[in-house]
Amino acid sequence: MIKIIFLVLFTFTLNHYAISNETNCDEFKKYSSEYFNCKTEIIKDKAISFGKNFVEDTKEYQKKNYEDGKKQIENTKKQIEKTGEKVLKK
């Protein structure tokens, strides 16, 4: 029974520290250098994540449009071949 309780408490403790990776700047004085460093770190992390999301969205958009353009070129080639066959039959 003690082993089970210990295991449950240990698991909750690990999960608590693993989940709470957000930085809490409230523990520093408002105008201290540590507070400003903490805030700049948060801003930097948000900017990096925004940049990564922006790049991924842009890549996805370009890939989709490239595939659509490729399909359109293939359809155009087929239409040209059909038109060429019609002209040659006349």
Side-chain angles (χ1 to χ4, degrees), residues 13-34:
T13 304
L14 285 179
N15 285 338
H16 176 69
Y17 288 116
I19 292 173
S20 65
N21 64 354
E22 291 195 19
T23 308
N24 185 7
C25 298
D26 295 335
E27 60 192 38
F28 302 116
K29 291 184 179 181
K30 191 155 187 159
Y31 294 109
S32 67
S33 62
E34 293 89 10

PDB file of all heavy atoms in Angstrom, residues 13-34:
ATOM      1  N   THR A  13       4.284  14.312  -8.963  1.00  0.00           N
ATOM      2  CA  THR A  13       5.368  15.275  -8.822  1.00  0.00           C
ATOM      3  C   THR A  13       6.112  15.453 -10.138  1.00  0.00           C
ATOM      4  O   THR A  13       6.403  16.574 -10.558  1.00  0.00           O
ATOM      5  CB  THR A  13       6.345  14.826  -7.720  1.00  0.00           C
ATOM      6  OG1 THR A  13       5.624  14.633  -6.516  1.00  0.00           O
ATOM      7  CG2 THR A  13       7.430  15.861  -7.508  1.00  0.00           C
ATOM      8  N   LEU A  14       6.406  14.361 -10.812  1.00  0.00           N
ATOM      9  CA  LEU A  14       7.101  14.447 -12.102  1.00  0.00           C
ATOM     10  C   LEU A  14       6.235  15.145 -13.143  1.00  0.00           C
ATOM     11  O   LEU A  14       6.734  15.969 -13.917  1.00  0.00           O
ATOM     12  CB  LEU A  14       7.483  13.059 -12.590  1.00  0.00           C
ATOM     13  CG  LEU A  14       8.654  12.397 -11.888  1.00  0.00           C
ATOM     14  CD1 LEU A  14       8.887  11.008 -12.473  1.00  0.00           C
ATOM     15  CD2 LEU A  14       9.905  13.234 -11.998  1.00  0.00           C
ATOM     16  N   ASN A  15       4.957  14.828 -13.175  1.00  0.00           N
ATOM     17  CA  ASN A  15       4.068  15.455 -14.149  1.00  0.00           C
ATOM     18  C   ASN A  15       3.925  16.951 -13.881  1.00  0.00           C
ATOM     19  O   ASN A  15       3.828  17.745 -14.814  1.00  0.00           O
ATOM     20  CB  ASN A  15       2.690  14.798 -14.132  1.00  0.00           C
ATOM     21  CG  ASN A  15       2.704  13.448 -14.793  1.00  0.00           C
ATOM     22  OD1 ASN A  15       3.578  13.158 -15.596  1.00  0.00           O
ATOM     23  ND2 ASN A  15       1.747  12.618 -14.451  1.00  0.00           N
ATOM     24  N   HIS A  16       3.905  17.328 -12.650  1.00  0.00           N
ATOM     25  CA  HIS A  16       3.773  18.742 -12.309  1.00  0.00           C
ATOM     26  C   HIS A  16       4.959  19.537 -12.842  1.00  0.00           C
ATOM     27  O   HIS A  16       4.791  20.602 -13.438  1.00  0.00           O
ATOM     28  CB  HIS A  16       3.648  18.909 -10.795  1.00  0.00           C
ATOM     29  CG  HIS A  16       3.603  20.339 -10.351  1.00  0.00           C
ATOM     30  ND1 HIS A  16       2.531  21.149 -10.617  1.00  0.00           N
ATOM     31  CD2 HIS A  16       4.508  21.110  -9.710  1.00  0.00           C
ATOM     32  CE1 HIS A  16       2.780  22.361 -10.139  1.00  0.00           C
ATOM     33  NE2 HIS A  16       3.971  22.358  -9.573  1.00  0.00           N
ATOM     34  N   TYR A  17       6.148  19.032 -12.656  1.00  0.00           N
ATOM     35  CA  TYR A  17       7.327  19.742 -13.141  1.00  0.00           C
ATOM     36  C   TYR A  17       7.458  19.661 -14.649  1.00  0.00           C
ATOM     37  O   TYR A  17       7.954  20.575 -15.291  1.00  0.00           O
ATOM     38  CB  TYR A  17       8.595  19.210 -12.480  1.00  0.00           C
ATOM     39  CG  TYR A  17       8.712  19.611 -11.038  1.00  0.00           C
ATOM     40  CD1 TYR A  17       8.707  18.666 -10.027  1.00  0.00           C
ATOM     41  CD2 TYR A  17       8.802  20.943 -10.687  1.00  0.00           C
ATOM     42  CE1 TYR A  17       8.799  19.029  -8.703  1.00  0.00           C
ATOM     43  CE2 TYR A  17       8.889  21.319  -9.361  1.00  0.00           C
ATOM     44  CZ  TYR A  17       8.894  20.360  -8.376  1.00  0.00           C
ATOM     45  OH  TYR A  17       8.984  20.732  -7.080  1.00  0.00           O
ATOM     46  N   ALA A  18       7.003  18.585 -15.252  1.00  0.00           N
ATOM     47  CA  ALA A  18       7.096  18.438 -16.697  1.00  0.00           C
ATOM     48  C   ALA A  18       6.108  19.345 -17.410  1.00  0.00           C
ATOM     49  O   ALA A  18       6.400  19.887 -18.469  1.00  0.00           O
ATOM     50  CB  ALA A  18       6.836  16.985 -17.092  1.00  0.00           C
ATOM     51  N   ILE A  19       4.935  19.536 -16.845  1.00  0.00           N
ATOM     52  CA  ILE A  19       3.909  20.348 -17.484  1.00  0.00           C
ATOM     53  C   ILE A  19       4.190  21.833 -17.298  1.00  0.00           C
ATOM     54  O   ILE A  19       3.986  22.637 -18.190  1.00  0.00           O
ATOM     55  CB  ILE A  19       2.518  19.988 -16.933  1.00  0.00           C
ATOM     56  CG1 ILE A  19       2.150  18.575 -17.382  1.00  0.00           C
ATOM     57  CG2 ILE A  19       1.464  20.968 -17.405  1.00  0.00           C
ATOM     58  CD1 ILE A  19       0.880  18.051 -16.755  1.00  0.00           C
ATOM     59  N   SER A  20       4.689  22.205 -16.148  1.00  0.00           N
ATOM     60  CA  SER A  20       4.832  23.625 -15.841  1.00  0.00           C
ATOM     61  C   SER A  20       6.197  24.161 -16.258  1.00  0.00           C
ATOM     62  O   SER A  20       7.004  24.545 -15.441  1.00  0.00           O
ATOM     63  CB  SER A  20       4.634  23.863 -14.346  1.00  0.00           C
ATOM     64  OG  SER A  20       5.667  23.216 -13.637  1.00  0.00           O
ATOM     65  N   ASN A  21       6.435  24.192 -17.571  1.00  0.00           N
ATOM     66  CA  ASN A  21       7.684  24.740 -18.053  1.00  0.00           C
ATOM     67  C   ASN A  21       7.564  26.225 -18.392  1.00  0.00           C
ATOM     68  O   ASN A  21       8.483  26.817 -18.908  1.00  0.00           O
ATOM     69  CB  ASN A  21       8.190  23.957 -19.263  1.00  0.00           C
ATOM     70  CG  ASN A  21       7.257  24.062 -20.437  1.00  0.00           C
ATOM     71  OD1 ASN A  21       6.176  24.615 -20.334  1.00  0.00           O
ATOM     72  ND2 ASN A  21       7.675  23.514 -21.558  1.00  0.00           N
ATOM     73  N   GLU A  22       6.412  26.823 -18.136  1.00  0.00           N
ATOM     74  CA  GLU A  22       6.252  28.249 -18.361  1.00  0.00           C
ATOM     75  C   GLU A  22       7.015  29.020 -17.288  1.00  0.00           C
ATOM     76  O   GLU A  22       7.057  28.638 -16.135  1.00  0.00           O
ATOM     77  CB  GLU A  22       4.780  28.633 -18.339  1.00  0.00           C
ATOM     78  CG  GLU A  22       4.038  28.089 -19.524  1.00  0.00           C
ATOM     79  CD  GLU A  22       2.702  28.763 -19.696  1.00  0.00           C
ATOM     80  OE1 GLU A  22       2.514  29.864 -19.142  1.00  0.00           O
ATOM     81  OE2 GLU A  22       1.869  28.193 -20.390  1.00  0.00           O
ATOM     82  N   THR A  23       7.571  30.114 -17.711  1.00  0.00           N
ATOM     83  CA  THR A  23       8.364  30.920 -16.801  1.00  0.00           C
ATOM     84  C   THR A  23       7.455  31.849 -16.020  1.00  0.00           C
ATOM     85  O   THR A  23       6.594  32.514 -16.587  1.00  0.00           O
ATOM     86  CB  THR A  23       9.384  31.753 -17.601  1.00  0.00           C
ATOM     87  OG1 THR A  23      10.099  30.865 -18.468  1.00  0.00           O
ATOM     88  CG2 THR A  23      10.350  32.447 -16.701  1.00  0.00           C
ATOM     89  N   ASN A  24       7.668  31.910 -14.709  1.00  0.00           N
ATOM     90  CA  ASN A  24       6.884  32.786 -13.858  1.00  0.00           C
ATOM     91  C   ASN A  24       7.782  33.940 -13.423  1.00  0.00           C
ATOM     92  O   ASN A  24       8.714  33.753 -12.648  1.00  0.00           O
ATOM     93  CB  ASN A  24       6.355  32.025 -12.644  1.00  0.00           C
ATOM     94  CG  ASN A  24       5.428  32.868 -11.804  1.00  0.00           C
ATOM     95  OD1 ASN A  24       5.072  33.978 -12.172  1.00  0.00           O
ATOM     96  ND2 ASN A  24       5.027  32.335 -10.675  1.00  0.00           N
ATOM     97  N   CYS A  25       7.507  35.117 -13.908  1.00  0.00           N
ATOM     98  CA  CYS A  25       8.340  36.285 -13.609  1.00  0.00           C
ATOM     99  C   CYS A  25       7.853  37.027 -12.367  1.00  0.00           C
ATOM    100  O   CYS A  25       8.478  38.011 -11.969  1.00  0.00           O
ATOM    101  CB  CYS A  25       8.344  37.235 -14.802  1.00  0.00           C
ATOM    102  SG  CYS A  25       9.034  36.501 -16.279  1.00  0.00           S
ATOM    103  N   ASP A  26       6.774  36.582 -11.769  1.00  0.00           N
ATOM    104  CA  ASP A  26       6.223  37.275 -10.610  1.00  0.00           C
ATOM    105  C   ASP A  26       7.105  37.147  -9.368  1.00  0.00           C
ATOM    106  O   ASP A  26       6.951  37.915  -8.422  1.00  0.00           O
ATOM    107  CB  ASP A  26       4.830  36.753 -10.290  1.00  0.00           C
ATOM    108  CG  ASP A  26       3.844  37.074 -11.397  1.00  0.00           C
ATOM    109  OD1 ASP A  26       4.091  38.059 -12.137  1.00  0.00           O
ATOM    110  OD2 ASP A  26       2.841  36.345 -11.521  1.00  0.00           O
ATOM    111  N   GLU A  27       8.008  36.197  -9.373  1.00  0.00           N
ATOM    112  CA  GLU A  27       8.846  36.002  -8.193  1.00  0.00           C
ATOM    113  C   GLU A  27       9.968  37.034  -8.088  1.00  0.00           C
ATOM    114  O   GLU A  27      10.617  37.133  -7.058  1.00  0.00           O
ATOM    115  CB  GLU A  27       9.422  34.588  -8.190  1.00  0.00           C
ATOM    116  CG  GLU A  27      10.262  34.287  -9.400  1.00  0.00           C
ATOM    117  CD  GLU A  27      10.586  32.813  -9.526  1.00  0.00           C
ATOM    118  OE1 GLU A  27       9.726  31.976  -9.217  1.00  0.00           O
ATOM    119  OE2 GLU A  27      11.719  32.528  -9.946  1.00  0.00           O
ATOM    120  N   PHE A  28      10.191  37.803  -9.151  1.00  0.00           N
ATOM    121  CA  PHE A  28      11.232  38.836  -9.138  1.00  0.00           C
ATOM    122  C   PHE A  28      10.622  40.206  -8.866  1.00  0.00           C
ATOM    123  O   PHE A  28       9.431  40.431  -9.106  1.00  0.00           O
ATOM    124  CB  PHE A  28      11.955  38.878 -10.497  1.00  0.00           C
ATOM    125  CG  PHE A  28      12.578  37.570 -10.877  1.00  0.00           C
ATOM    126  CD1 PHE A  28      12.137  36.872 -11.993  1.00  0.00           C
ATOM    127  CD2 PHE A  28      13.600  37.023 -10.129  1.00  0.00           C
ATOM    128  CE1 PHE A  28      12.701  35.681 -12.350  1.00  0.00           C
ATOM    129  CE2 PHE A  28      14.177  35.820 -10.477  1.00  0.00           C
ATOM    130  CZ  PHE A  28      13.729  35.142 -11.589  1.00  0.00           C
ATOM    131  N   LYS A  29      11.441  41.120  -8.403  1.00  0.00           N
ATOM    132  CA  LYS A  29      10.978  42.495  -8.232  1.00  0.00           C
ATOM    133  C   LYS A  29      10.732  43.091  -9.605  1.00  0.00           C
ATOM    134  O   LYS A  29      11.407  42.764 -10.576  1.00  0.00           O
ATOM    135  CB  LYS A  29      12.022  43.319  -7.479  1.00  0.00           C
ATOM    136  CG  LYS A  29      12.169  42.933  -6.033  1.00  0.00           C
ATOM    137  CD  LYS A  29      13.143  43.847  -5.334  1.00  0.00           C
ATOM    138  CE  LYS A  29      13.270  43.454  -3.875  1.00  0.00           C
ATOM    139  NZ  LYS A  29      14.206  44.342  -3.171  1.00  0.00           N
ATOM    140  N   LYS A  30       9.770  43.991  -9.682  1.00  0.00           N
ATOM    141  CA  LYS A  30       9.288  44.463 -10.980  1.00  0.00           C
ATOM    142  C   LYS A  30      10.356  45.153 -11.823  1.00  0.00           C
ATOM    143  O   LYS A  30      10.372  45.006 -13.029  1.00  0.00           O
ATOM    144  CB  LYS A  30       8.098  45.400 -10.779  1.00  0.00           C
ATOM    145  CG  LYS A  30       7.405  45.711 -12.084  1.00  0.00           C
ATOM    146  CD  LYS A  30       5.992  46.094 -11.884  1.00  0.00           C
ATOM    147  CE  LYS A  30       5.323  46.219 -13.224  1.00  0.00           C
ATOM    148  NZ  LYS A  30       3.925  46.112 -13.174  1.00  0.00           N
ATOM    149  N   TYR A  31      11.254  45.908 -11.236  1.00  0.00           N
ATOM    150  CA  TYR A  31      12.239  46.645 -12.029  1.00  0.00           C
ATOM    151  C   TYR A  31      13.650  46.087 -11.857  1.00  0.00           C
ATOM    152  O   TYR A  31      14.632  46.779 -12.108  1.00  0.00           O
ATOM    153  CB  TYR A  31      12.208  48.131 -11.660  1.00  0.00           C
ATOM    154  CG  TYR A  31      10.894  48.763 -12.059  1.00  0.00           C
ATOM    155  CD1 TYR A  31       9.967  49.133 -11.102  1.00  0.00           C
ATOM    156  CD2 TYR A  31      10.581  48.949 -13.397  1.00  0.00           C
ATOM    157  CE1 TYR A  31       8.761  49.687 -11.468  1.00  0.00           C
ATOM    158  CE2 TYR A  31       9.377  49.497 -13.768  1.00  0.00           C
ATOM    159  CZ  TYR A  31       8.469  49.872 -12.802  1.00  0.00           C
ATOM    160  OH  TYR A  31       7.265  50.412 -13.164  1.00  0.00           O
ATOM    161  N   SER A  32      13.760  44.823 -11.502  1.00  0.00           N
ATOM    162  CA  SER A  32      15.083  44.213 -11.372  1.00  0.00           C
ATOM    163  C   SER A  32      15.531  43.671 -12.726  1.00  0.00           C
ATOM    164  O   SER A  32      14.731  43.461 -13.639  1.00  0.00           O
ATOM    165  CB  SER A  32      15.055  43.088 -10.339  1.00  0.00           C
ATOM    166  OG  SER A  32      14.257  42.027 -10.803  1.00  0.00           O
ATOM    167  N   SER A  33      16.820  43.447 -12.856  1.00  0.00           N
ATOM    168  CA  SER A  33      17.349  42.935 -14.116  1.00  0.00           C
ATOM    169  C   SER A  33      16.870  41.505 -14.366  1.00  0.00           C
ATOM    170  O   SER A  33      16.662  41.107 -15.516  1.00  0.00           O
ATOM    171  CB  SER A  33      18.870  42.992 -14.124  1.00  0.00           C
ATOM    172  OG  SER A  33      19.399  42.175 -13.098  1.00  0.00           O
ATOM    173  N   GLU A  34      16.678  40.725 -13.297  1.00  0.00           N
ATOM    174  CA  GLU A  34      16.170  39.365 -13.465  1.00  0.00           C
ATOM    175  C   GLU A  34      14.752  39.376 -14.046  1.00  0.00           C
ATOM    176  O   GLU A  34      14.404  38.535 -14.882  1.00  0.00           O
ATOM    177  CB  GLU A  34      16.167  38.606 -12.123  1.00  0.00           C
ATOM    178  CG  GLU A  34      17.527  38.318 -11.568  1.00  0.00           C
ATOM    179  CD  GLU A  34      18.039  39.442 -10.684  1.00  0.00           C
ATOM    180  OE1 GLU A  34      17.250  40.363 -10.360  1.00  0.00           O
ATOM    181  OE2 GLU A  34      19.224  39.402 -10.334  1.00  0.00           O
TER     182      GLU A  34
END
